[in-house]
Amino acid sequence: MCLYLLRYSEIFLKSEAVRRRWENALIFNIRNALPECRVKRERGRIWLDGVSNPDKLKRLFGIISFSKCKYCMLKDLNSFVLDFCDEIAIERARTFAVRVKRVGTHEFTSPQKVAELGSLVLNKFKDFNLKVDLKSPEKTLFVEIRNEDCYLFDDVVKGAGGIPLGVEGKLLALFSGGIDSPVAAWFMMKRGCRVIPIYFDNTPFSDESSLRRAKRVAEILKEYQPDFEIRVEDGGNFLIRAKEVLRKDGIENYTCILCKRQMYRVAERIAKEEGAKGIVTGEAIGQVASQTLDNLLVLDEACSLPVYRPLIGLDKIEIERIAKEIGTFEASIFPASSCSAVPDKPTTKAKLDKVLEAEKEVLSSLSW
């Protein structure tokens, strides 16, 4: 009998009511991703039987790690351990260790069972010069004893961690498909938020290659959130008029500020329609001109909803490392056009009064 043992961390720390609700959400997400599997729940553990694609478990938020394991009854454990050691070719290792965890009442302690099983293994494989190393063994045999049930495994696979997708509600994400915005969206998924991505089409200042890139990245994030569907909104008409007004007023270096504030306003409107509780962006302090503290302050004034910036304290190298880990990096660097509306020297210290005056003229002419 082959099972998968799933472990979670934060769920276990919650109150009974919250823990039960989050467990139910995690199991719901598991069944959506792996409808063929059968699920059994115990406190601190979830067991799956009939898993056809275990790689999907790596992308389910709320699972900190998982292991493929074998089951036996406690009365059969000693002989089963030896058969399991044959199966995993433990004799190819130079050193090994046995780790035992128990739940329930038994006539032995965990250290006693470790010593007993270790001696059995040493005796069977005495001709292979196998030795015990409790600090850094080449091979580890894990045994979980839960009352009269036993589970054996030799590998622990890292999961996505976090908390179950959806338990914290919905957020709207500004999503360009570059390196930063997908990582920001992923971080909020990891914290239990279902994310709705919004892409702004800035034609004629960009072309379809940017949208194609965003869609490529979105397909990867669907592995973490299956309903991650890009919503495309027009940004070009506003940007055309904004460039005209700013050029006339001699402050064309404010272009990116006005553009981003418009994105915030549109995102806020859609968020309220969708029942979302805030907006997510990939902004990090000082990374580009529009992301200085002065400019972020001006940007936030355009929106009454909370703006979440999970990358705010990270540098580019850290963000790229995470993008590679979650699988979005290669798609994010796929060739795409850059926005040609960006001025040569964007302002890093935007003044709110200038912004509001320019926006008033732009928005009135567009009937916003």
Side-chain angles (χ1 to χ4, degrees), residues 8-72:
Y8 53 75
S9 57
E10 290 186 60
I11 297 176
F12 188 79
L13 302 175
K14 301 301 178 181
S15 67
E16 185 67 25
V18 173
R19 181 182 64 80
R20 180 63 60 173
R21 178 167 60 87
W22 284 16
E23 276 186 349
N24 289 339
L26 177 54
I27 290 172
F28 178 84
N29 293 339
I30 291 170
R31 285 177 169 149
N32 272 349
L34 297 162
E36 77 284 357
C37 73
R38 292 174 293 280
V39 183
K40 183 177 78 168
R41 167 171 43 189
E42 295 181 24
R43 187 172 180 85
R45 295 286 188 269
I46 293 175
W47 308 92
L48 301 185
D49 183 21
V51 176
S52 62
N53 187 357
D55 277 349
K56 289 186 177 181
L57 296 174
K58 298 177 183 177
R59 296 173 180 84
L60 283 170
F61 294 110
I63 299 173
I64 192 170
S65 67
F66 62 92
S67 298
K68 182 180 180 180
C69 57
K70 292 293 186 72
Y71 168 83
C72 71

Side-chain angles (χ1 to χ4, degrees), residues 20-247:
R20 180 63 60 173
R21 178 167 60 87
W22 284 16
E23 276 186 349
N24 289 339
L26 177 54
I27 290 172
F28 178 84
N29 293 339
I30 291 170
R31 285 177 169 149
N32 272 349
L34 297 162
E36 77 284 357
C37 73
R38 292 174 293 280
V39 183
K40 183 177 78 168
R41 167 171 43 189
E42 295 181 24
R43 187 172 180 85
R45 295 286 188 269
I46 293 175
W47 308 92
L48 301 185
D49 183 21
V51 176
S52 62
N53 187 357
D55 277 349
K56 289 186 177 181
L57 296 174
K58 298 177 183 177
R59 296 173 180 84
L60 283 170
F61 294 110
I63 299 173
I64 192 170
S65 67
F66 62 92
S67 298
K68 182 180 180 180
C69 57
K70 292 293 186 72
Y71 168 83
C72 71
M73 296 293 293
L74 178 57
K75 63 182 179 61
D76 302 320
L77 177 60
N78 287 6
S79 61
F80 198 86
V81 162
L82 297 179
D83 290 340
F84 186 73
C85 287
D86 281 331
E87 185 176 323
I88 64 175
I90 200 170
E91 72 277 3
R92 295 179 184 174
R94 289 174 296 178
T95 59
F96 81 104
V98 178
R99 315 287 191 200
V100 172
K101 287 186 177 180
R102 291 187 308 114
V103 173
T105 302
H106 303 96
E107 296 179 351
F108 53 84
T109 64
S110 295
Q112 286 173 340
K113 184 55 71 174
V114 166
E116 179 184 356
L117 296 177
S119 295
L120 287 172
V121 174
L122 283 173
N123 185 60
K124 176 169 182 177
F125 297 97
K126 58 186 176 183
D127 295 335
F128 292 91
N129 200 30
L130 187 62
K131 295 181 180 179
V132 173
D133 184 346
L134 298 180
K135 292 185 178 180
S136 55
E138 290 185 11
K139 200 74 171 176
T140 303
L141 172 62
F142 298 93
V143 181
E144 287 215 8
I145 303 172
R146 303 179 77 85
N147 298 312
E148 297 300 310
D149 298 318
C150 300
Y151 305 89
L152 282 69
F153 54 94
D154 68 327
D155 190 26
V156 177
V157 181
K158 182 181 177 182
I163 59 181
L165 182 70
V167 297
E168 288 293 342
K170 292 187 288 187
L171 292 174
L172 219 70
L174 303 186
F175 192 81
S176 68
I179 295 172
D180 301 339
S181 59
V183 175
W186 181 87
F187 264 121
M188 300 313 290
M189 292 178 194
K190 184 176 181 179
R191 298 313 303 165
C193 302
R194 194 169 294 278
V195 176
I196 303 169
I198 306 296
Y199 173 87
F200 284 88
D201 179 4
N202 286 337
T203 303
F205 300 101
S206 61
D207 59 33
E208 290 186 0
S209 63
S210 297
L211 178 57
R212 286 197 299 268
R213 181 185 64 181
K215 288 181 176 179
R216 286 168 66 101
V217 179
E219 284 300 312
I220 295 167
L221 289 179
K222 280 185 179 180
E223 296 177 9
Y224 297 93
Q225 180 186 307
D227 61 351
F228 193 80
E229 297 286 349
I230 288 181
R231 176 166 174 170
V232 180
E233 294 291 325
D234 174 64
N237 287 327
F238 175 88
L239 202 45
I240 290 171
R241 183 57 181 146
K243 292 285 282 186
E244 293 172 352
V245 170
L246 294 173
R247 190 179 297 117

Side-chain angles (χ1 to χ4, degrees), residues 172-328:
L172 219 70
L174 303 186
F175 192 81
S176 68
I179 295 172
D180 301 339
S181 59
V183 175
W186 181 87
F187 264 121
M188 300 313 290
M189 292 178 194
K190 184 176 181 179
R191 298 313 303 165
C193 302
R194 194 169 294 278
V195 176
I196 303 169
I198 306 296
Y199 173 87
F200 284 88
D201 179 4
N202 286 337
T203 303
F205 300 101
S206 61
D207 59 33
E208 290 186 0
S209 63
S210 297
L211 178 57
R212 286 197 299 268
R213 181 185 64 181
K215 288 181 176 179
R216 286 168 66 101
V217 179
E219 284 300 312
I220 295 167
L221 289 179
K222 280 185 179 180
E223 296 177 9
Y224 297 93
Q225 180 186 307
D227 61 351
F228 193 80
E229 297 286 349
I230 288 181
R231 176 166 174 170
V232 180
E233 294 291 325
D234 174 64
N237 287 327
F238 175 88
L239 202 45
I240 290 171
R241 183 57 181 146
K243 292 285 282 186
E244 293 172 352
V245 170
L246 294 173
R247 190 179 297 117
K248 174 178 65 69
D249 293 344
I251 52 171
E252 197 171 356
N253 60 339
Y254 274 55
T255 300
C256 295
I257 296 297
L258 263 68
C259 179
K260 198 65 171 285
R261 280 171 57 92
Q262 177 64 5
M263 291 180 182
Y264 279 25
R265 283 189 288 269
V266 173
E268 179 176 32
R269 171 177 58 79
I270 297 171
K272 290 179 178 178
E273 292 172 359
E274 296 285 345
K277 300 175 182 178
I279 298 169
V280 184
T281 78
E283 293 156 336
I285 291 178
Q287 189 175 128
V288 296
S290 66
Q291 297 173 16
T292 62
L293 282 179
D294 294 277
N295 286 349
L296 291 175
L297 184 64
V298 171
L299 292 178
D300 279 352
E301 193 275 339
C303 178
S304 62
L305 284 178
V307 178
Y308 298 100
R309 300 180 173 101
L311 312 185
I312 194 72
L314 302 182
D315 61 35
K316 197 66 176 182
I317 294 174
E318 292 171 312
I319 297 169
E320 288 180 355
R321 175 182 56 79
I322 297 167
K324 291 173 184 177
E325 289 175 357
I326 67 177
T328 58

Side-chain angles (χ1 to χ4, degrees), residues 246 249 251 254 258 350-359:
L246 294 173
D249 293 344
I251 52 171
Y254 274 55
L258 263 68
K351 303 299 181 184
L352 183 59
D353 56 344
K354 289 185 178 182
V355 170
L356 294 176
E357 185 176 349
E359 280 182 346

